[in-house]
Amino acid sequence: MGGTPGRSCFPEVQQQHLALWLSLDYLSDLLYLLDIVVRLHTGFLEQGILVRDRALIAQHYLRSAHLLWDVASVLPTDLLYLRLGLQVPAVRANRFLRTARLFEALDRQETRTAYPHAFRIAKLMLYVFVTIHWNACLYYALSGAIGFGADAWVYPNHSRPGFARPLRQYLYSFHLSTLVLSTVGDTPVPRRQEEFLFMVASVLLAVMGFATIMGSMSSVISSLSTAEAALYPDAEQVKGYLRLHRVGRRLETRVARWHQHLYLNKKVTNEQQALQHLPEQLRAEVAVSVHLATLRKVQLFQTCEQGLLEELVLKLRPQVYSPGEYVCRKGDIGREMYFIREGRLAVVGDDGRTQFAVLGEGLYFGEISIINIKGNRSGNRRTANIQSIGYSDLFCLSKEDLQAVLSEFPSAKAALEAKGREILVGMDKLDVNAVAEESVRQREAERRTGALEDALDTLQTKFARLLAELESSAFKLALRIEHLEWQTQVWAGAGGEGLGAVPGQ
């Protein structure tokens, strides 16, 4: 019994395989321990607050029940193979203690991944593979207990050419387990009681697994459909509406192509609905992360402060226009301004063919009709026809939202008004005289307002004096009334004494 343990128990080739196996196994255990150490630096939740202090994290982990399970799962029980032999795989049963950690890791990764539905399907397929694997292991173990080659159902005898190789053993067992659990294909007919019990249990497991898989897949598909409905408009509902009202084929084709463009290019039009459950601050951060880079391309906002951009991002509404569609027409009442995110738009004449200019990414238009520029002859009417050349992705900002934002940022308002005046001058639609007259009227109104304020101050002073005099007069009158009442009481008392003295005389 001298020398290294196990040399007398295994041939040299098996010793090499065992050494390789143990080294790989201990490497996985080392990685698992490293994962535990890394976990010490991730933090834990205490009253909903993430604790990152390493000393507190270590104390929390050492007091938790996870420590005992983690240590027990990495105990080197594989060394018992050197004494008991490779035919006792139960010595590795402590590795099952990692199952809870596996489920925990999968659940956390599902909430963190950007593709939860694909991850859920992959996790489901992993469960299916593990189930087939363990069923194959049970089949091989049962075949060994009955006797290899004892009948046509069990695994063939190792004496047959090729059937003694471990890879062949595993693939054969895995193939049979797949046939049994999927209930597809012909399987060997069982002959013994143990074989019948195994087949019945496997079929019942297959029925339960099939129902679970179908239910999980239906849940994933339903969740995926719900997620898409929250991001994209319902194309089938629009198609049903068009068919119900017998809309022309040409218009129906344009609508279908518009929906197709949204899906193919991942254009989201229902951002507010998709983010509605997030807290306001978190929703603002998400919107800024998605759209701030695009908004900074707009020349008007390149020098604006961060606060203005964050306010605008929350109020922008994405819109997609199809080729040849008019974004606005000359003479229409302006209620929004637009920022070009992607695509090109043309400023066309009334005939719809003559192009005066082409607007590209980062430009904006429509601000003239929603900003009250003094001397604007067009008022709140559109001054040009804007037509989409291809598919155009725009940001829309309503008049009310723009005024609410600019009221907090006067410098941006002044810049926007200056740009609008420049455009109106180029279009000869800015009445300079009206601007001067408006300035004169404004100064006259300010002068009158000042005069009225002075007159109001004078009236308030006089009113205060009158009120003081009134209070003084009222006080004096109250004193005089009190004095008269006192004299009346004195006289009444004197008269009563005189009448009472007459009978006594």
Side-chain angles (χ1 to χ4, degrees):
M1 298 299 292
T4 304
R7 290 190 178 272
S8 60
C9 299
F10 304 104
E12 184 178 354
V13 176
Q14 290 188 357
Q15 289 179 5
Q16 294 177 357
H17 291 171
L18 180 61
L20 178 61
W21 186 8
L22 292 178
S23 62
L24 293 176
D25 186 67
Y26 290 149
L27 178 61
S28 65
D29 292 340
L30 178 61
L31 294 176
Y32 185 71
L33 289 174
L34 289 176
D35 177 69
I36 295 175
V37 175
V38 172
R39 185 184 299 275
L40 294 177
H41 301 289
T42 58
F44 66 95
L45 294 178
E46 184 176 2
Q47 296 182 356
I49 301 176
L50 182 63
V51 179
R52 293 184 177 274
D53 185 79
R54 294 187 179 183
L56 296 177
I57 295 173
Q59 294 177 6
H60 178 267
Y61 181 72
L62 292 176
R63 291 195 303 265
S64 66
H66 294 293
L67 177 63
L68 298 177
W69 292 99
D70 292 336
V71 172
S73 65
V74 296
L75 291 176
T77 56
D78 308 76
L79 297 176
L80 294 175
Y81 281 132
L82 301 175
R83 176 66 61 183
L84 303 178
L86 297 177
Q87 291 76 24
V88 189
V91 298
R92 292 173 49 85
N94 62 324
R95 299 301 190 270
F96 282 108
L97 300 178
R98 302 180 185 178
T99 306
R101 287 294 196 188
L102 175 62
F103 291 151
E104 178 185 356
L106 293 177
D107 292 339
R108 290 187 177 183
Q109 185 63 29
E110 182 177 347
T111 59
R112 295 173 181 174
T113 182
Y115 305 97
H117 301 292
F119 183 83
R120 194 176 303 172
I121 294 176
K123 183 175 67 173
L124 182 62
M125 298 307 298
L126 175 64
Y127 291 159
V128 172
F129 177 83
V130 171
T131 303
I132 296 175
H133 165 79
W134 281 111
N135 194 65
C137 295
L138 291 176
Y139 165 76
Y140 187 81
L142 181 60
S143 299
I146 296 175
F148 296 114
D151 54 39
W153 186 85
V154 299
Y155 185 80
N157 198 315
H158 293 176
S159 61
R160 295 179 57 180
F163 285 91
R165 292 184 302 163
L167 180 60
R168 179 67 176 269
Q169 297 170 4
Y170 180 76
L171 292 179
Y172 185 95
S173 302
F174 192 88
H175 175 258
L176 182 64
S177 176
T178 304
L179 295 179
V180 173
L181 293 181
S182 62
T183 64
V184 176
D186 296 331
T187 58
V189 180
R191 303 291 179 85
R192 305 170 186 268
Q193 181 178 353
E194 298 86 351
E195 299 172 359
F196 279 106
L197 292 176
F198 179 85
M199 291 293 292
V200 170
S202 299
V203 171
L204 291 178
L205 180 62
V207 172
M208 295 175 57
F210 182 77
T212 302
I213 292 174
M214 292 302 297
S216 300
M217 293 297 294
S218 301
S219 176
V220 170
I221 295 174
S222 177
S223 300
L224 185 61
S225 302
T226 303
E228 290 183 353
L231 296 177
Y232 304 103
D234 189 357
E236 297 300 326
Q237 184 177 3
V238 177
K239 291 179 182 179
Y241 175 84
L242 297 179
R243 288 193 296 267
L244 179 63
H245 294 275
R246 299 180 180 179
V247 177
R249 183 66 178 176
R250 182 178 179 183
L251 182 57
E252 186 176 352
T253 302
R254 288 181 57 191
V255 173
R257 289 178 178 176
W258 182 83
H259 280 98
Q260 184 180 12
H261 174 76
L262 292 185
Y263 281 100
L264 293 179
N265 295 274
K266 306 302 180 183
K267 301 295 182 181
V268 180
T269 58
N270 298 333
E271 290 187 355
Q272 298 297 331
Q273 182 178 355
L275 304 177
Q276 61 181 343
H277 299 296
L278 293 179
E280 182 177 359
Q281 186 64 30
L282 186 57
R283 184 168 64 250
E285 293 181 7
V286 172
V288 168
S289 176
V290 173
H291 299 307
L292 186 59
T294 303
L295 197 60
R296 282 196 179 277
K297 296 179 182 179
V298 180
Q299 299 176 358
L300 179 64
F301 302 123
Q302 288 179 353
T303 58
C304 292
E305 54 186 294
Q306 183 79 8
L308 172 63
L309 299 180
E310 292 178 357
E311 290 290 335
L312 285 175
V313 162
L314 290 175
K315 301 181 183 301
L316 293 177
R317 292 181 291 108
Q319 292 185 356
V320 179
Y321 289 88
S322 57
E325 185 177 359
Y326 280 90
V327 180
C328 60
R329 294 178 181 269
K330 184 187 298 184
D332 293 343
I333 298 177
R335 297 184 178 88
E336 304 93 5
M337 69 174 298
Y338 299 90
F339 305 94
I340 303 177
R341 182 183 181 184
E342 293 179 4
R344 295 189 306 160
L345 298 100
V347 182
V348 299
D350 295 336
D351 57 358
R353 298 179 180 179
T354 306
Q355 291 187 2
F356 300 108
V358 176
L359 306 178
E361 180 181 348
L363 299 180
Y364 62 95
F365 61 92
E367 77 283 0
I368 298 177
S369 58
I370 66 174
I371 298 179
N372 298 323
I373 301 178
K374 300 175 183 178
N376 185 5
R377 295 173 181 173
S378 301
N380 61 346
R381 300 284 179 173
R382 299 294 188 187
T383 58
N385 299 312
I386 307 297
Q387 188 181 36
S388 178
I389 297 177
Y391 282 99
S392 302
D393 190 1
L394 309 179
F395 281 133
C396 175
L397 182 63
S398 66
K399 181 177 182 179
E400 294 77 12
D401 292 337
L402 179 63
Q403 291 178 350
V405 173
L406 294 181
S407 62
E408 303 294 336
F409 301 91
S411 59
K413 181 179 181 180
L416 195 61
E417 290 180 351
K419 185 65 176 179
R421 291 192 192 96
E422 181 181 345
I423 296 175
L424 289 175
V425 169
M427 299 175 61
D428 194 21
K429 290 192 176 183
L430 182 64
D431 191 349
V432 181
N433 296 328
V435 174
E437 292 176 358
E438 179 67 23
S439 300
V440 172
R441 286 196 297 269
Q442 185 175 2
R443 287 194 295 270
E444 180 65 20
E446 291 178 355
R447 186 189 64 79
R448 291 182 179 180
T449 302
L452 289 175
E453 289 178 351
D454 294 339
L456 181 60
D457 292 339
T458 303
L459 289 175
Q460 288 178 347
T461 303
K462 292 181 178 180
F463 180 75
R465 291 177 181 177
L466 290 175
L467 184 60
E469 293 177 358
L470 179 61
E471 291 178 352
S472 178
S473 300
F475 181 72
K476 292 179 181 179
L477 181 60
L479 290 178
R480 185 169 180 78
I481 292 174
E482 185 179 357
H483 180 69
L484 292 175
E485 290 178 349
W486 178 75
Q487 286 183 346
T488 303
Q489 292 176 0
V490 172
W491 292 341
E497 291 178 357
L499 293 174
V502 173
Q505 295 180 351

